[in-house]
Amino acid sequence: MAENGEEKLLAMARHIAKTLGHNNNNNMADDILQIFSNFDGRFSKENLSDKVLDSDHRSCATLDHSLKSLDQRISHFVSSDHPVWADSAESAAFLDAVDDLVGVLSEWSSLASDKSVGACIARAEDMLQHAMFRLEDEFRWLMERGGESFDLNRPYSKSTENKMSFDSEEDDEEEVMNGEEEQQIPVALPLTDYDVVIDVLPSGTINDLHEIAKRMVAGGFGKECSHVYSSCRREFLEESLSRLGLQKLSVEEVHKKTWQELEDEIERWIKASNVALRILFPSERRLCDRVFFGFSSASDRSFMEVCRGSAIQLLNFADAVAIGSRSPERLFRILDVFETLRDLIPEFESLFSDQYSVLLRNEAITICKRLGEAIKGIFMELENSIRRDPAKVAVPGGGLHPITRYVMNYLLAACRSRISLEQVFEEYPKLDDRVASSTSSLSVQMDWIMELLESNLEAKSKIYKDTALSYVFLMNNGRYIVQKAKGSELGTLLGDDWIRKHTAKVRQYHVHYQRSSWNKVLGILKLDSSNGSMGANGFAKTIKEKIKLFNHQFDEICKIQCSWFVFDEQLREEIRISLEKKLLPAYGNFIVRFRSVAELGKLGDKYIRYGTEDIAAKINDLFQGSTGSNGSCK
């Protein structure tokens, strides 16, 4: 080997001298030979002169002989009609031959400008290309064979013994083609834990693939190797997502789906996204790193080509949801998509951080922000729907308005995702300068929606011709709002001061109701000192007129207000007790005065229609809706 190396060194020096001293410039050639001779005695004129150029021919002959030997060895494998890797001895011999060929090319490529050496190098490169083509076929065969031998029923969880499945809940019927069962691409089995890694290829196969990849990269065929690898693994990923029920949908197809269909699709997307980002993609990353160990660029490129299509499919669906309808009913499912993608961003950042796939990571972050903007847009649409809700038809009996129920239940449901909403509204502009700067943007948003709702209800209360009924309407809706807010996440966002303020508002509505409805009745029962100056006959006449007027107005109020409705039993009881405290003492005093008038004493039964217990019973029948306690308004 030492002699062969020295011979190559002399051949190199001789080649340089000949090249620099071309065009028959013998003097220049002699000068160059003299320089070499002074540098190293082995480069003497005698050793490098044309007289011994026959050694060049011997060197070329040596190279030619090596190539002929390699051609015989490699042709045996290239032309084989059975897989080389079916026999471990055969595969080892093939790899040795490829290594020797690559070594020859590496040693002699620097002399390629020499015509005879260049011709040999061209032969060697052609031989290498055929060897690479065969290695590519063997690589593909190993990938496919490894997949076929993959045991779907063995457990893969790192922390449990649970089996996995990526199958959708619906049982897939077996498909038969031409009387034979269609070949199935292996996918993993029932999933109960995301803490798993799938080794879909046997360890021995992975080692064989690595050895082939190492030769193909060394031979300049790294991209071809990556392409074969990614085409096989990409099919596995796509089939796995398909088994989860995820369809490949365009933006237009997503937007054409009914809301129920889209809800079902979102449910499948959430499951598929978690499986892909937490199990499938990490497993593919691990497999890439093992197959292309030592070649980070090839590993990164292969991983990107394997996962890009599936990742884009998942992201495109989320993007289609983000740019879709802003209907308030869609908030909760869009929140589900947002939360899923947000929670998977660390996985995107971990998996897609290299030069080939960083765009996927950036796209995931962009779409997550777009989903946040969609959520903000939905709240804006909710505000608009409250503003646009017309004040045309009054709710019978002053009861709860549908918009009150809708908005409060909507906000209560939304606030169950308070953490996510606070994240979305983190940069939301303040809507009220009076709100303290320490108040969260979500709190400001909720307060603003409540303000819009209250304004809308106040406008609706003006539809009622009866002022007292308008206050019953405001009492009902105000009480409902406060009761819903208390003890909930919504109430926490609005704050204790807000709760106290609106509780006081309901009490104020109660006061206004009593004044507008019962003050006239209470005024009738009032007997001031001026009544005594009328004389006995005048006083008797006045008090007689008062009892008649009271009976009429009391009957009229009870007849009307027994059809009114107070939904909250506690509020209804509070109103009744308050009325009894004011009305019963005044009525009792009035009756005592009435009976004390001598002229009217014998006529008491004629004019006194109600005792105090009867008054209390009538009050108890108020606000029952359309019927009283006995089934009718009395």
Side-chain angles (χ1 to χ4, degrees):
M1 289 296 292
E3 292 179 1
N4 189 40
E6 184 171 326
E7 183 178 324
K8 289 178 181 177
L9 182 63
L10 292 174
M12 173 67 75
R14 192 179 302 114
H15 174 72
I16 293 172
K18 287 174 63 179
T19 302
L20 295 178
H22 67 292
N23 296 329
N24 298 319
N25 191 341
N26 293 326
N27 291 333
M28 181 179 289
D30 289 341
D31 292 341
I32 293 170
L33 291 174
Q34 183 61 49
I35 293 171
F36 282 161
S37 178
N38 293 337
F39 177 73
D40 191 317
R42 290 175 297 174
F43 299 149
S44 65
K45 288 185 178 182
E46 290 75 16
N47 287 339
L48 300 178
S49 66
D50 288 337
K51 295 177 182 179
V52 292
L53 284 179
D54 60 327
S55 62
D56 281 352
H57 300 294
R58 289 198 300 271
S59 298
C60 288
T62 301
L63 175 58
D64 182 67
H65 177 74
S66 297
L67 292 180
K68 285 180 179 178
S69 174
L70 285 170
D71 190 26
Q72 289 179 349
R73 292 164 62 191
I74 290 175
S75 295
H76 166 71
F77 301 110
V78 169
S79 61
S80 176
D81 57 359
H82 65 274
V84 177
W85 259 257
D87 186 312
S88 59
E90 288 274 287
S91 61
F94 187 19
L95 290 178
D96 287 342
V98 171
D99 288 341
D100 290 344
L101 179 58
V102 171
V104 167
L105 279 168
S106 176
E107 290 179 8
W108 289 92
S109 59
S110 59
L111 301 177
S113 58
D114 184 278
K115 187 175 181 180
S116 56
V117 174
C120 290
I121 294 296
R123 284 170 51 204
E125 288 176 343
D126 183 64
M127 197 185 308
L128 180 65
Q129 187 175 46
H130 284 85
M132 291 295 129
F133 289 158
R134 183 58 194 239
L135 284 178
E136 183 178 325
D137 291 340
E138 294 295 320
F139 192 93
R140 182 181 292 104
W141 179 78
L142 282 170
M143 292 285 292
E144 293 172 351
R145 188 192 68 164
E148 290 171 1
S149 65
F150 175 57
D151 182 3
L152 292 175
N153 294 311
R154 61 191 175 99
Y156 293 92
S157 174
K158 292 187 290 186
S159 58
T160 70
E161 292 296 320
N162 296 328
K163 296 180 182 179
M164 300 185 309
S165 173
F166 303 147
D167 289 337
S168 57
E169 295 178 1
E170 298 84 3
D171 294 330
D172 293 332
E173 296 182 0
E174 292 186 359
E175 296 182 4
V176 178
M177 184 176 294
N178 298 326
E180 296 182 1
E181 186 177 340
E182 184 181 3
Q183 181 180 1
Q184 296 293 318
I185 296 172
V187 291
L189 290 173
L191 176 65
T192 57
D193 186 358
Y194 288 126
D195 187 24
V196 294
V197 173
I198 307 169
D199 283 331
V200 293
L201 298 177
S203 181
T205 300
I206 294 174
N207 292 335
D208 289 338
L209 290 169
H210 170 64
E211 292 301 323
I212 295 176
K214 187 162 61 174
R215 270 69 178 190
M216 292 187 72
V217 171
F221 281 72
K223 288 185 178 180
E224 288 78 2
C225 185
S226 292
H227 178 72
V228 174
Y229 174 88
S230 60
S231 63
C232 293
R233 298 305 307 153
R234 184 165 53 240
E235 194 173 1
F236 170 87
L237 272 185
E238 291 174 353
E239 180 66 15
S240 295
L241 290 180
S242 177
R243 287 293 184 90
L244 287 166
L246 194 66
Q247 305 177 55
K248 288 185 177 180
L249 300 171
S250 66
V251 173
E252 293 75 15
E253 288 172 329
V254 172
H255 292 169
K256 285 180 181 178
K257 284 186 173 292
T258 65
W259 179 234
Q260 183 59 54
E261 290 172 338
L262 188 55
E263 279 193 304
D264 294 340
E265 200 65 38
I266 287 173
E267 191 67 34
R268 288 189 286 268
W269 178 88
I270 291 172
K271 180 180 179 182
S273 296
N274 278 295
V275 170
L277 270 297
R278 299 184 191 278
I279 298 177
L280 295 177
F281 291 172
S283 297
E284 291 301 326
R285 177 78 262 185
R286 182 170 180 262
L287 183 60
C288 275
D289 290 343
R290 292 180 67 186
V291 171
F292 296 98
F293 178 75
F295 308 102
S296 59
S297 180
S299 178
D300 292 342
R301 181 171 57 245
S302 299
F303 175 71
M304 183 273 293
E305 290 183 359
V306 169
C307 298
R308 178 176 56 186
S310 296
I312 289 175
Q313 180 184 352
L314 293 170
L315 291 175
N316 282 350
F317 179 82
D319 197 31
V321 171
I323 63 177
S325 169
R326 295 289 191 269
S327 173
E329 289 74 18
R330 299 194 171 204
L331 171 68
F332 306 101
R333 273 308 187 184
I334 294 179
L335 263 171
D336 289 341
V337 176
F338 169 79
E339 289 171 346
T340 299
L341 187 55
R342 176 203 62 195
D343 294 344
L344 291 174
I345 290 298
E347 277 68 27
F348 272 100
E349 291 177 333
S350 171
L351 292 166
F352 302 107
S353 57
D354 58 79
Q355 58 177 325
Y356 299 104
S357 57
V358 68
L359 290 177
L360 287 175
R361 180 198 66 185
N362 294 341
E363 184 67 8
I365 294 171
T366 298
I367 292 173
C368 191
K369 291 179 179 178
R370 201 170 290 151
L371 285 164
E373 291 299 322
I375 291 169
K376 290 182 184 179
I378 288 174
F379 275 93
M380 291 179 66
E381 185 57 35
L382 176 64
E383 295 169 16
N384 292 333
S385 66
I386 295 172
R387 289 190 189 97
R388 291 192 299 260
D389 194 65
K392 293 182 179 179
V393 180
V395 177
L400 277 176
H401 197 282
I403 195 173
T404 307
R405 289 182 185 273
Y406 174 79
V407 171
M408 293 308 298
N409 288 317
Y410 185 93
L411 294 181
L412 286 173
C415 287
R416 295 191 191 110
S417 300
R418 176 183 171 183
I419 294 175
S420 297
L421 289 176
E422 284 181 334
Q423 182 179 355
V424 167
F425 283 95
E426 185 176 353
E427 297 179 1
Y428 199 75
K430 292 286 191 288
L431 296 171
D432 190 341
D433 293 334
R434 295 169 296 175
V435 178
S437 59
S438 60
T439 304
S440 73
S441 296
L442 181 60
S443 296
V444 175
Q445 176 66 39
M446 294 297 125
D447 189 77
W448 174 241
I449 292 175
M450 297 308 301
E451 188 174 324
L452 289 174
L453 177 60
E454 289 172 46
S455 297
N456 184 278
L457 292 172
E458 287 175 5
K460 286 177 167 59
S461 72
K462 293 178 171 57
I463 303 173
Y464 296 99
K465 295 179 180 179
D466 190 323
T467 304
L469 183 55
S470 70
Y471 286 120
V472 170
F473 172 78
L474 290 172
M475 259 196 297
N476 270 317
N477 288 272
R479 180 66 164 233
Y480 185 83
I481 289 170
V482 171
Q483 292 297 90
K484 284 288 185 178
K486 273 184 178 179
S488 68
E489 288 287 352
L490 175 60
T492 302
L493 286 168
L494 293 171
D496 292 339
D497 288 343
W498 189 95
I499 298 291
R500 283 192 291 270
K501 175 184 173 183
H502 286 76
T503 300
K505 263 191 175 183
V506 174
R507 286 197 295 266
Q508 194 63 36
Y509 293 144
H510 181 186
V511 171
H512 290 321
Y513 154 75
Q514 284 194 354
R515 286 176 180 172
S516 60
S517 185
W518 293 96
N519 272 11
K520 289 182 180 180
V521 175
L522 290 170
I524 294 171
L525 299 176
K526 188 176 181 181
L527 295 171
D528 53 36
S529 58
S530 62
N531 295 130
S533 61
M534 298 179 182
N537 291 334
F539 180 70
K541 182 178 180 181
T542 298
I543 201 169
K544 184 171 63 173
E545 291 299 323
K546 279 181 174 287
I547 191 66
K548 289 167 64 178
L549 186 59
F550 170 83
N551 289 337
H552 172 73
Q553 290 201 7
F554 182 73
D555 284 346
E556 193 66 25
I557 290 174
C558 289
K559 180 181 178 181
I560 293 172
Q561 294 192 13
C562 73
S563 65
W564 294 0
F565 180 72
V566 174
F567 83 95
D568 184 74
E569 186 175 345
Q570 183 180 349
L571 176 60
R572 189 164 61 242
E573 191 63 24
E574 288 173 4
I575 296 172
R576 289 168 177 168
I577 291 172
S578 177
L579 285 175
E580 288 177 358
K581 284 182 178 179
K582 289 190 174 184
L583 188 58
L584 293 183
Y587 184 74
N589 291 334
F590 181 86
I591 294 301
V592 169
R593 292 291 302 275
F594 183 91
R595 292 187 183 279
S596 68
V597 178
E599 293 85 346
L600 300 176
K602 296 179 180 180
L603 301 174
D605 292 339
K606 179 180 178 181
Y607 293 103
I608 300 173
R609 188 177 300 175
Y610 303 109
T612 53
E613 292 181 356
D614 298 325
I615 295 291
K618 293 283 283 185
I619 291 174
N620 196 55
D621 270 337
L622 301 180
F623 312 117
Q624 296 282 0
S626 59
T627 60
S629 59
N630 295 324
S632 63
C633 291
K634 295 185 286 183

